[in-house]
Short mmCIF file of all heavy atoms in Angstrom, two decimals:
data_model
loop_
_atom_site.label_atom_id
_atom_site.label_comp_id
_atom_site.label_asym_id
_atom_site.label_seq_id
_atom_site.Cartn_x
_atom_site.Cartn_y
_atom_site.Cartn_z
N ASP A 661 0.84 -1.20 0.00
CA ASP A 661 0.00 0.00 0.00
C ASP A 661 0.87 1.25 0.00
O ASP A 661 2.05 1.23 0.37
CB ASP A 661 -0.91 0.01 1.23
CG ASP A 661 -1.79 -1.22 1.31
OD1 ASP A 661 -2.13 -1.78 0.25
OD2 ASP A 661 -2.14 -1.62 2.44
N ARG A 662 0.27 2.36 -0.39
CA ARG A 662 0.96 3.65 -0.44
C ARG A 662 0.33 4.59 0.58
O ARG A 662 -0.89 4.73 0.64
CB ARG A 662 0.86 4.24 -1.85
CG ARG A 662 1.53 5.60 -2.02
CD ARG A 662 1.57 5.95 -3.50
NE ARG A 662 2.12 7.30 -3.72
CZ ARG A 662 1.39 8.37 -4.01
NH1 ARG A 662 0.06 8.25 -4.13
NH2 ARG A 662 1.95 9.54 -4.20
N THR A 663 1.17 5.22 1.39
CA THR A 663 0.70 6.11 2.45
C THR A 663 1.14 7.54 2.17
O THR A 663 2.29 7.78 1.81
CB THR A 663 1.24 5.67 3.82
OG1 THR A 663 0.83 4.32 4.08
CG2 THR A 663 0.71 6.56 4.93
N ILE A 664 0.21 8.48 2.35
CA ILE A 664 0.50 9.91 2.18
C ILE A 664 0.06 10.62 3.46
O ILE A 664 -1.04 10.37 3.97
CB ILE A 664 -0.23 10.50 0.96
CG1 ILE A 664 0.20 9.76 -0.31
CG2 ILE A 664 0.05 11.99 0.84
CD1 ILE A 664 -0.60 10.18 -1.54
N MET A 665 0.90 11.52 3.98
CA MET A 665 0.59 12.24 5.22
C MET A 665 0.65 13.74 4.99
O MET A 665 1.43 14.21 4.16
CB MET A 665 1.60 11.85 6.30
CG MET A 665 1.50 10.42 6.77
SD MET A 665 2.98 9.90 7.67
CE MET A 665 4.04 9.41 6.30
N ASN A 666 -0.17 14.47 5.74
CA ASN A 666 -0.08 15.93 5.76
C ASN A 666 -0.47 16.42 7.15
O ASN A 666 -0.67 15.61 8.07
CB ASN A 666 -0.95 16.56 4.67
CG ASN A 666 -2.42 16.17 4.79
OD1 ASN A 666 -2.97 16.11 5.90
ND2 ASN A 666 -3.07 15.90 3.67
N ASN A 667 -0.58 17.71 7.33
CA ASN A 667 -0.88 18.25 8.65
C ASN A 667 -2.26 17.86 9.17
O ASN A 667 -2.50 17.85 10.38
CB ASN A 667 -0.76 19.78 8.64
CG ASN A 667 0.67 20.24 8.45
OD1 ASN A 667 1.60 19.51 8.76
ND2 ASN A 667 0.84 21.44 7.93
N HIS A 668 -3.16 17.56 8.27
CA HIS A 668 -4.55 17.30 8.67
C HIS A 668 -4.84 15.82 8.90
O HIS A 668 -5.78 15.47 9.61
CB HIS A 668 -5.51 17.84 7.62
CG HIS A 668 -5.32 19.31 7.34
ND1 HIS A 668 -5.64 20.28 8.25
CD2 HIS A 668 -4.80 19.95 6.25
CE1 HIS A 668 -5.34 21.48 7.76
NE2 HIS A 668 -4.84 21.30 6.55
N GLY A 669 -4.05 14.95 8.29
CA GLY A 669 -4.33 13.53 8.42
C GLY A 669 -3.48 12.72 7.48
O GLY A 669 -2.37 13.10 7.12
N TYR A 670 -4.03 11.60 7.04
CA TYR A 670 -3.27 10.68 6.21
C TYR A 670 -4.22 9.92 5.29
O TYR A 670 -5.44 9.86 5.52
CB TYR A 670 -2.48 9.70 7.08
CG TYR A 670 -3.36 8.82 7.95
CD1 TYR A 670 -3.72 7.53 7.56
CD2 TYR A 670 -3.85 9.28 9.17
CE1 TYR A 670 -4.53 6.74 8.35
CE2 TYR A 670 -4.66 8.50 9.97
CZ TYR A 670 -5.00 7.22 9.56
OH TYR A 670 -5.81 6.43 10.34
N SER A 671 -3.65 9.35 4.25
CA SER A 671 -4.42 8.48 3.36
C SER A 671 -3.59 7.25 3.04
O SER A 671 -2.36 7.31 2.99
CB SER A 671 -4.81 9.20 2.07
OG SER A 671 -3.65 9.52 1.30
N VAL A 672 -4.28 6.15 2.88
CA VAL A 672 -3.64 4.89 2.50
C VAL A 672 -4.34 4.39 1.25
O VAL A 672 -5.56 4.25 1.23
CB VAL A 672 -3.74 3.84 3.63
CG1 VAL A 672 -3.04 2.55 3.22
CG2 VAL A 672 -3.16 4.38 4.92
N GLU A 673 -3.56 4.14 0.20
CA GLU A 673 -4.10 3.61 -1.05
C GLU A 673 -3.68 2.16 -1.20
O GLU A 673 -2.50 1.84 -1.08
CB GLU A 673 -3.60 4.44 -2.23
CG GLU A 673 -4.10 5.87 -2.21
CD GLU A 673 -3.63 6.65 -3.43
OE1 GLU A 673 -3.00 6.04 -4.30
OE2 GLU A 673 -3.93 7.86 -3.50
N ALA A 674 -4.65 1.30 -1.48
CA ALA A 674 -4.38 -0.14 -1.58
C ALA A 674 -3.48 -0.42 -2.77
O ALA A 674 -3.67 0.11 -3.87
CB ALA A 674 -5.68 -0.91 -1.70
N GLY A 675 -2.47 -1.27 -2.54
CA GLY A 675 -1.61 -1.70 -3.62
C GLY A 675 -2.29 -2.75 -4.48
O GLY A 675 -3.42 -3.17 -4.23
N GLU A 676 -1.58 -3.20 -5.51
CA GLU A 676 -2.12 -4.23 -6.39
C GLU A 676 -2.33 -5.53 -5.61
O GLU A 676 -1.56 -5.86 -4.71
CB GLU A 676 -1.17 -4.48 -7.55
CG GLU A 676 -1.02 -3.29 -8.49
CD GLU A 676 -0.10 -3.61 -9.65
OE1 GLU A 676 0.34 -4.79 -9.74
OE2 GLU A 676 0.18 -2.70 -10.45
N SER A 677 -3.38 -6.23 -5.99
CA SER A 677 -3.70 -7.48 -5.31
C SER A 677 -2.58 -8.50 -5.54
O SER A 677 -2.11 -8.69 -6.66
CB SER A 677 -5.02 -8.03 -5.83
OG SER A 677 -5.33 -9.25 -5.21
N ARG A 678 -2.14 -9.11 -4.45
CA ARG A 678 -1.07 -10.10 -4.52
C ARG A 678 -1.47 -11.35 -3.76
O ARG A 678 -2.46 -11.37 -3.03
CB ARG A 678 0.23 -9.53 -3.92
CG ARG A 678 0.73 -8.27 -4.61
CD ARG A 678 1.97 -7.74 -3.89
NE ARG A 678 2.42 -6.46 -4.43
CZ ARG A 678 3.43 -5.76 -3.94
NH1 ARG A 678 4.09 -6.22 -2.89
NH2 ARG A 678 3.78 -4.61 -4.49
N THR A 679 -0.68 -12.41 -3.93
CA THR A 679 -0.90 -13.65 -3.20
C THR A 679 0.37 -13.96 -2.40
O THR A 679 1.38 -13.29 -2.53
CB THR A 679 -1.22 -14.81 -4.15
OG1 THR A 679 -0.13 -14.97 -5.06
CG2 THR A 679 -2.50 -14.53 -4.93
N GLY A 680 0.28 -14.99 -1.60
CA GLY A 680 1.44 -15.40 -0.82
C GLY A 680 1.46 -14.79 0.56
O GLY A 680 0.75 -13.84 0.87
N SER A 681 2.32 -15.33 1.41
CA SER A 681 2.42 -14.92 2.79
C SER A 681 3.10 -13.56 2.92
O SER A 681 3.96 -13.20 2.11
CB SER A 681 3.19 -15.96 3.59
OG SER A 681 3.31 -15.59 4.94
N VAL A 682 2.70 -12.80 3.93
CA VAL A 682 3.31 -11.51 4.25
C VAL A 682 4.01 -11.64 5.60
O VAL A 682 3.41 -12.14 6.56
CB VAL A 682 2.26 -10.39 4.31
CG1 VAL A 682 2.92 -9.06 4.69
CG2 VAL A 682 1.55 -10.25 2.97
N SER A 683 5.25 -11.20 5.66
CA SER A 683 6.02 -11.24 6.91
C SER A 683 6.37 -9.82 7.33
O SER A 683 6.86 -9.03 6.53
CB SER A 683 7.30 -12.06 6.75
OG SER A 683 7.01 -13.42 6.48
N VAL A 684 6.10 -9.50 8.59
CA VAL A 684 6.38 -8.18 9.15
C VAL A 684 7.01 -8.38 10.52
O VAL A 684 6.54 -9.21 11.32
CB VAL A 684 5.11 -7.33 9.29
CG1 VAL A 684 5.43 -5.96 9.87
CG2 VAL A 684 4.38 -7.20 7.96
N MET A 685 8.06 -7.62 10.80
CA MET A 685 8.67 -7.63 12.13
C MET A 685 8.45 -6.27 12.78
O MET A 685 8.88 -5.25 12.24
CB MET A 685 10.17 -7.92 12.04
CG MET A 685 10.92 -7.76 13.37
SD MET A 685 10.37 -8.92 14.67
CE MET A 685 11.09 -10.44 14.04
N LEU A 686 7.75 -6.25 13.91
CA LEU A 686 7.53 -5.00 14.62
C LEU A 686 8.73 -4.69 15.52
O LEU A 686 9.26 -5.58 16.18
CB LEU A 686 6.27 -5.09 15.49
CG LEU A 686 4.94 -5.28 14.75
CD1 LEU A 686 3.79 -5.37 15.76
CD2 LEU A 686 4.68 -4.16 13.76
N PRO A 687 9.17 -3.43 15.57
CA PRO A 687 10.29 -3.07 16.44
C PRO A 687 9.92 -3.08 17.92
O PRO A 687 10.79 -3.19 18.77
CB PRO A 687 10.67 -1.68 15.96
CG PRO A 687 9.43 -1.13 15.36
CD PRO A 687 8.71 -2.30 14.75
N PHE A 688 8.63 -2.93 18.22
CA PHE A 688 8.14 -3.05 19.59
C PHE A 688 6.71 -3.55 19.53
O PHE A 688 6.08 -3.56 18.47
CB PHE A 688 8.23 -1.72 20.35
CG PHE A 688 7.41 -0.61 19.76
CD1 PHE A 688 6.12 -0.38 20.19
CD2 PHE A 688 7.95 0.22 18.78
CE1 PHE A 688 5.35 0.65 19.65
CE2 PHE A 688 7.19 1.25 18.23
CZ PHE A 688 5.90 1.47 18.67
N ARG A 689 6.18 -3.97 20.66
CA ARG A 689 4.89 -4.67 20.68
C ARG A 689 3.71 -3.69 20.65
O ARG A 689 2.99 -3.52 21.63
CB ARG A 689 4.81 -5.58 21.90
CG ARG A 689 5.89 -6.64 21.94
CD ARG A 689 5.73 -7.58 23.13
NE ARG A 689 6.87 -8.47 23.26
CZ ARG A 689 7.02 -9.61 22.57
NH1 ARG A 689 6.08 -9.97 21.71
NH2 ARG A 689 8.08 -10.38 22.73
#
């Protein structure tokens, strides 16, 4: 996804549909 931020808020635009597992490591809980 693509994220855009400004002083008032933010928007997230969905990326192209994909398949397969997604792995994410959080730096804190």
Side-chain angles (χ1 to χ4, degrees):
D661 302 331
R662 179 170 176 257
T663 302
I664 301 173
M665 293 163 275
N666 58 41
N667 292 336
H668 304 291
Y670 62 97
S671 65
V672 182
E673 295 182 4
E676 295 182 4
S677 179
R678 301 177 185 176
T679 59
S681 180
V682 178
S683 296
V684 180
M685 172 62 73
L686 296 179
F688 61 92
R689 300 183 188 277

